Amino acid sequence: MTPDLILAGAGLANALIALAVAEARPGARILMLDRAPSPSDAHTWSFHDPDLRLPWHRRLSPAIRCRWPGQEVRFPDHSRVLRAGYASLDGAGLARLLADTPGVTLRWNAGITALDATGATLGSERIEAPCVIDGRGARSSRHLVTGYQKFVGLEFEMNTPHGVTRPLIMDATVPQQDGYRFVYLLPFSPTRLLIEDTRYSDGATLDEEAIVCAIADYASDKGWTGREVRRERGVLPIALAHDAAALWAEAQGGPAPVGLRAGLFHPVTGYSLPVAAQVADVVAAAGPTTAEVFSAVCAHALDRAGDDRFLRLLNRMLFRGCPPDRRHRVLSRFYRLPEPLIERFYAGKLTRLDRLRIVSGKPPIPIRDALPCLREAPLLKETA
Ligand SMILES: Cc1cc2nc3c(=O)[nH]c(=O)nc-3n(C[C@H](O)[C@H](O)[C@H](O)COP(=O)(O)OP(=O)(O)OC[C@H]3O[C@@H](n4cnc5c(N)ncnc54)[C@H](O)[C@@H]3O)c2cc1C
């Protein structure tokens, strides 16, 4: 079979592209290649309901593992229930959905050794297609300066009901360590609970055992005992400075990059599901060749990078203008803002007024510390 579209990598970005293209172009032959032996169970992808447009709620609904009608945040000085719904997908659900999507062929154990605008090489095998998209996950780039969101999550089957009724997306009442620290709880059933310990820190090193011990302490403080059934971990980029034009100029002539490798993620939360859904819509509406998809996704990415300038400034204030042990204050202040603004922040749709609102009033960090954070060019120069 000669495919119409090769998707290199069967991660989140390419999975959403496969779903959108299969729907927009019935009969299109979509080949997904991934080096992993099978779908990963080391991933839950969550999103806030307002992050996605209705067609995406419909498309993803068969892959949803759990949905909740609200969510909560807790800080030492206040806590708040947020009314926006929240939902989680997992790797197995997404793989089942792709298997049921006409036109999509997913090959596991398919490690790509070379990729270009016309095809993929897998050892001695060469597969060509008019359109090739590269979604092989994160890679470092001197055009993207980042801090890190590091986490380990343990899913437990508890011996008795844990009593958590809604996602606690930030419990920042915990001792602050290694930057801004919070615990994230997802109650999948009355006895099944994901406990994730996250740190917004300057370095990328993940001390998994130390974080696992911190999770055990947290569970023990709550009186929870149980058996670990699943584990996930991640070191996600938090964008401090980004020269998107240079990143895309470097990729010119090759396959169209998407997902984390194209810098397409929410600069502050590191979430990429809402952005991946938007990019999938862009790909589905573009022409059927690599060059057409490249230029459509590139234009979208450059627009986004311009819109995200403000979010990167917030990150620089958080990471460069604020001592690590005080970072939680900035977040605590943010979560006092009106809920529609918080929803637009997650969805990457802040208005001018929202931006003004976020930085107005008592500054989250002293002006003298904020001033050196204003420009992103010096950070990009440091890495050049
Ligand atoms: C544990 C974890 C939890 C997360 N939770 C959330 C969340 O709740 N919400 C959210 O929005 N974001 C979340 N993220 C962040 C982000 O959404 C993910 O990192 C997302 O998976 C990135 O999508 P991607 O398609 O760019 O890369 P990936 O999903 O990482 O996909 C890349 C794929 O390419 C494959 N690959 C790599 N090299 C090759 C090769 N040479 N040949 C063939 N295949 C190859 C890999 O096996 C992989 O399957 C989470 C990240 C992690 C790690």
Side-chain angles (χ1 to χ4, degrees), residues 329-364:
R329 292 193 195 172
V330 179
L331 275 299
S332 171
R333 181 179 178 276
F334 172 78
Y335 278 102
R336 287 185 185 276
L337 290 167
E339 237 177 288
L341 183 156
I342 294 173
E343 289 171 11
R344 288 194 290 276
F345 165 81
Y346 282 133
K349 292 179 184 154
L350 286 176
T351 63
R352 275 194 189 167
L353 203 62
D354 291 338
R355 291 166 203 211
L356 211 62
R357 188 89 198 250
I358 290 173
V359 290
S360 63
K362 188 172 176 289

Side-chain angles (χ1 to χ4, degrees), residues 4-58:
D4 300 301
L5 170 61
I6 292 176
L7 296 174
L12 183 69
N14 272 346
L16 301 199
I17 289 173
L19 296 175
V21 172
E23 194 174 299
R25 284 185 237 145
R29 287 159 304 187
I30 302 165
L31 177 62
M32 304 184 76
L33 302 168
D34 201 290
R35 68 179 172 192
S38 57
S40 161
D41 78 339
H43 246 127
T44 39
W45 288 293
S46 303
F47 58 93
H48 308 265
D49 279 353
D51 289 355
L52 293 183
R53 294 189 313 112
L54 272 182
W56 278 106
H57 282 281
R58 172 181 53 75

Side-chain angles (χ1 to χ4, degrees), residues 143-144 239 241-248 262-265 267 275 297-313 316 355 376:
H143 306 304
L144 182 62
H242 184 25
D243 183 348
L247 188 140
W248 280 86
L264 289 162
F265 55 88
V275 186
V297 178
C298 172
H300 177 80
L302 295 184
D303 269 1
R304 266 207 78 87
D307 289 349
D308 286 348
R309 215 171 270 136
F310 173 77
L311 296 177
R312 295 194 296 276
L313 167 65
R316 290 196 296 282
R355 291 166 203 211
E376 56 191 311

Side-chain angles (χ1 to χ4, degrees), residues 203-290:
T205 310
L206 181 75
D207 185 346
E208 183 161 335
E209 279 324 300
I211 298 186
V212 167
C213 289
I215 292 175
D217 288 347
Y218 184 88
S220 144
D221 278 355
K222 303 282 178 195
W224 295 327
T225 54
R227 174 173 59 88
E228 178 185 334
V229 290
R230 195 179 65 81
R231 188 179 285 204
E232 61 182 56
R233 59 188 69 71
V235 179
L236 299 180
I238 298 297
L240 305 181
H242 184 25
D243 183 348
L247 188 140
W248 280 86
E250 251 176 29
Q252 191 72 40
V258 294
L260 292 190
R261 72 191 298 105
L264 289 162
F265 55 88
H266 190 292
V268 183
T269 65
Y271 275 34
S272 73
L273 199 146
V275 186
Q278 288 163 13
V279 170
D281 287 335
V282 168
V283 172
T289 63
T290 303

